[in-house]
Every structure is written in C-alpha cells, then in structure tokens.
Amino acid sequence: MVTSPVPEKVESNDHEQQDTKSGAGSVQAVSRTTTHDGEDILGLQDLDPALNRKMHLVNNAIDEIGWTPYHTKLFILNGFGYAVDSLVLLLQGVIAGPAFREFGQHGYANAMTIAGYVGMLIGALFWGLGADIIGRRFAFNVSLLLCSVSVIIAGAMPNWPSLGLWIALIGFGAGGNLVLDTTVFLEYLPGNKQWVLTLMAGWWGLGQAVTGFVAWGFLVPEKWNCPSVDVCTRLNNMGWRYVMFTSGALVFVMSILRVTVIRLRETPKYLLALGEDAQVVETFQFLASKYNRHCSLTVDKLDACGVVLGTHSKNRFSFAETLVHLRGLFSTPKIALSTSLIWVSWAMMGLAYPLFYVFLPSYLASRGANLDVSPFETWRNYTLTNISSIFGPLLAGWMCNIPFLGRRYTMLIGTLMTAAFFFAYTSVRNGSQDVGFSCSIAFCLNIYYGTLYAYTPEVLPSAHRATGNGVAVACNRVMGILSAVIATVSNTSTSAPLYICGALLVAMGVLSAFFPFEPYGRRSS
C-alpha cells in the first residue's frame, strides 16, 4: 500500500529549517517538537546532532514518497540475494559426501564445512566494512557475481583441496551478499513498511527449498552417484557436479538481473553519512519524479542542520577508518549494549543449531531409533524440511507488526517454540516422526532467524550499519567453525550437548526480550 504525502509534514519541515537557522538551541527544540513526523530509533541517543537532524529529514522524505515500484523491485531482487545466500550456503553440506567419496576419502572429512564457514566469516567482515567505506552499491553488485562464478568453477574441481578453496570463495561472496541484502533494502524503506524486512526472510527458505529440489534430482539416480569409494570415478559420480553447475547457473542469472533490472542507486543514508547532501536530494527527487510522488526535501534544509562529523576518518582507506566504524557501534552505553547483545545472539545461534544436528543422529541411534531411509527419502525429507522454513518468516512478518509483540517478543516466541521441538526431537523413533519434527523446527527457527536478520540492521547506526551487520554474521560463522571441530573430536553419543543446545535457544529468546531497542513504530536511524 502506497503512503500518500501528508501536507502537514511538508509545513513542519519548512518551520524546522526556519528555526534551525536561528541557532543550535532552537534546532534542538525543533527536534523535540517534530516527533509527530515519525520517531527515529536512535533519535534520542547522544549521537552527532547534525546527523540526527538530517536523518530525521531523510526519514521524513522516505515516508513522504512511500512505497513505490522501485521498492517492489528491491524486495524481489534482494530477496533473490537472500535465496541465493541460503542456496549456496547449503551446497557444501549437500555435495561434501559424494565429492569426498569420489576423491578417495583422503583428507579431512569436515573440510568443506570449515572452508565454507571461513569464507563466509572473511566475506562478512570484508564486504560489511567495505560497504561502509566505499558504499553499498559496489559490494551489492559484485558479491553475488563472484559467488555465482565460484559455484560453477567449484563443480569442475579435480581434487578435495581445490574444491575446498572454491567452496571458501563461494562463502566469501555469499557472506558479503547476506550483509548487504538487508542493509540496502532497509535504507530505502518507509517507516511503516519496515516489517517487510522480516517478511523478506521467506526468500531464505525458498533458496533452501531450491537446494533441496536440485539435490533430490541429481543425488538420487544411480547413474550419477557411485555406491562406494572403491568403484567411484568422475564419470559415474557426476551428480554432485551437476548440483553445482545448476546452482551456479541459477545464481549467475540472478546476479545479472540484479545489475540490469534494479540499477541500484547508492542508498541515501550512506550518502548522508558521507556528507553528500546534494546526492541525497537528487536520489529522492529522481524517485519522486519517476513515480509521481511529492518530495519536499531540499539541499538548503539539509545544509541548515549543520555539518556531519565523525562518521569517517580523514583517509577512508586506512586502519583509522575501521576503528571509526567499530567505535561508532559503541558510541553510547545503550547502543553499546544493543550491539553486544546482538553479536552474542548471533554467536549463540551459530553454535546451537549446527551442534544439535551433529549429536542428534548418534543419540537417536543409541535410543533405538530406526531412521534407515533410502537416498530418495533422504532428499525428499530434506526438501520438505526446507520448504517448511519458508513460512516461518511470513508468520514473523505479521507478528512483529503487532504492537504488544514487536520484534523482541516475536524472537522470544520463535526460540521458545524451537526449543520445545528440540527437546521433543530426542524422543523420535522412526522416519515419519523425524521428518515431522524437522519441518516443525525449520518453521519455528525461521521465526526467530528471520526477525533477527531484520532487527540487526534496524537498530544499528546507519553510518556503521554494514560493519555491525558483518561482525554479527561473522560471530555466527566462528561458532559454525567451532561446531565442525567439536563434531570431529568429541563423543557424539552423549546426550548432554543436545540439552545444552536447547538451553542456548531458550537463553537466546530471553536475551532478545532484553534488547534495549524496539523498532516497532520507529524508523531506522
């Protein structure tokens, strides 16, 4: 639904600018008296006063223009990016077994898991920080293209080490794309449509489902999958390679569509932090003109707010620039608490979820569960589970827009439901129960995950948003690497880790209820 321009907002902006010219004191008074235009999440924090005032005007302009076909394109093509991220992140787990068999089972069995997570870790940090330094647009366009090319090349690798290298490069591209999808979309969203950011996580489940269908198609037929390492050659084990080629081609098409269809303009909030007020106004005037909307924002109004300081160092390509963005995430006690709790939440999820599935099979076998299934049933169940994950974010998008729930209690409900199914999963005794509980967990977990993905950039300062988002994802990947190492060296038949993972989920939910910022009814700063 498109937001109609509100004449009163235009008048109040004019009054704001008249008052700001009279001095800093009157500017602050105006800031306090114009909150009816919309409350900014970090508007009351002790940040750069000029940036706060300018951000308020920019958010007013975004609300004034409202939802346009440009936002629809962003939702679809950023959603494609979400789908691609989940698709390629699952690939290493899907193809590792048959590839390891073809290469004679020489080397470290969990190498692909670690390679993928290391690539995603480096990619999240590199592209996240890079997007705050050189802009969102370049990283947004390049990371997905790099990912697609790496997937295709990985499918042609002749040995285990070279496959690991390209799996890491896939993770490097995907790790950056994951950070940028939410950041770019959020920085164009009207305040009353920010809940769509949570809804967009439904694309994540769609990407997982596509991975399941592709694997189901190529990893079941015997002509493409060798039965054992003794008789395994490239010619009779092409299934995993076809998975990579098909997935890579799909990602490549999406990366080309992203560049040709959306033709992304640099986000106005990045330009604002850079001090490029004229480009900010030009971007809004372009959208207003193209979609026949009204926009009252002018360069004079932004200039009257003062000069933005402290969002970049003197040399943007220096170590000092990195420190500026990291310090910006801890600029006030409340923002520091928010950043810390978010990063801890991402780290806990990175450990709890994969570790649960590392220990689960051995635990169930020791309790007499009979989960002996055929390859067809394995990949069918895998696909059904991933399809179920599509609907969690759809429910979360509705829940987080309910006033008494908001983002924080939506996450709490999602984790408690997931934990309940985690604990119940330990009683599984047959294949039907297995797939039922797997689907339930996928659905509930993505209520939490989809909301956390959206909440993270919403409450981070815009000048440092990509860096904070990147570090959050990196925390998740560090714990993913740790879970792979634990799987290698530990006794997987003990039940204690399963209950620890469930307890971690409960702790994550409780933690989310204590997040200091609630974005419902407020606009990202």
Side-chain angles (χ1 to χ4, degrees), residues 88 90-103 112 151 154-155 160 163-164 167 170 211 214-215 218-219 225 237-245 247 379 382:
V88 300
L90 291 180
L91 284 179
Q92 55 85 14
V94 167
I95 62 96
F100 194 51
R101 190 161 55 244
E102 178 183 324
F103 298 138
M112 294 306 107
V151 173
W160 194 238
L163 177 61
I167 290 292
I170 292 170
T211 305
V214 173
F218 289 118
L219 297 183
N225 297 276
N237 197 49
M238 288 294 291
W240 71 269
R241 296 182 187 274
Y242 292 149
V243 169
M244 299 298 280
F245 295 148
S247 302
W379 294 111
Y382 183 84

Side-chain angles (χ1 to χ4, degrees), residues 74-91 144 147 151 174 177-178 181-182 199-212 247 250-251 254 258 386 389-390 453:
L74 277 177
F75 177 75
I76 294 173
L77 293 178
N78 284 42
F80 276 171
Y82 244 25
V84 164
D85 291 332
S86 63
L87 186 155
V88 300
L89 296 184
L90 291 180
L91 284 179
L144 195 61
C147 190
V151 173
N177 189 60
L178 182 60
D181 286 329
T182 51
L199 185 72
M200 193 174 75
W203 288 91
W204 181 270
L206 181 62
Q208 291 179 317
V210 170
T211 305
S247 302
L250 181 61
V251 176
M254 291 180 179
R258 170 174 282 189
N386 288 328
S389 66
I390 297 174
Y453 268 112

Side-chain angles (χ1 to χ4, degrees), residues 324-380:
V324 166
H325 291 299
L326 290 174
R327 282 197 297 263
L329 298 167
F330 298 87
S331 53
T332 72
K334 194 171 182 180
I335 291 176
L337 176 63
S338 175
T339 300
S340 301
L341 293 182
I342 288 171
W343 289 355
V344 169
S345 295
W346 278 88
M348 291 169 70
M349 175 56 74
L351 181 63
Y353 185 68
L355 203 58
F356 180 84
Y357 285 100
V358 163
F359 285 88
L360 184 65
S362 297
Y363 174 83
L364 294 179
S366 68
R367 298 301 187 275
N370 180 17
L371 304 181
D372 186 25
V373 293
S374 68
F376 178 89
E377 292 171 322
T378 296
W379 294 111
R380 179 205 62 190

Side-chain angles (χ1 to χ4, degrees), residues 26 100 151 153 156 211 245 295 297 310 420 455 478 512:
S26 58
F100 194 51
V151 173
I153 294 176
T211 305
F245 295 148
C295 179
L297 185 66
Y455 178 90
V478 168
S512 65

Side-chain angles (χ1 to χ4, degrees), residues 273-302:
L274 203 60
E276 301 291 348
D277 292 354
Q279 290 188 46
V280 172
V281 174
E282 193 276 331
T283 297
F284 285 131
Q285 294 296 343
F286 167 80
L287 292 174
S289 174
K290 184 172 182 178
Y291 300 110
N292 194 27
R293 305 296 170 84
H294 183 67
C295 179
S296 59
L297 185 66
T298 65
V299 176
D300 288 341
K301 291 180 179 182
L302 291 175

Side-chain angles (χ1 to χ4, degrees), residues 5-28:
V6 180
E8 288 76 12
K9 290 186 180 181
V10 177
E11 290 182 343
S12 65
N13 287 342
D14 291 338
H15 293 317
E16 281 184 32
Q17 300 314 315
Q18 292 170 7
D19 291 343
T20 55
K21 295 176 183 178
S22 65
S26 58
V27 167
Q28 292 171 353

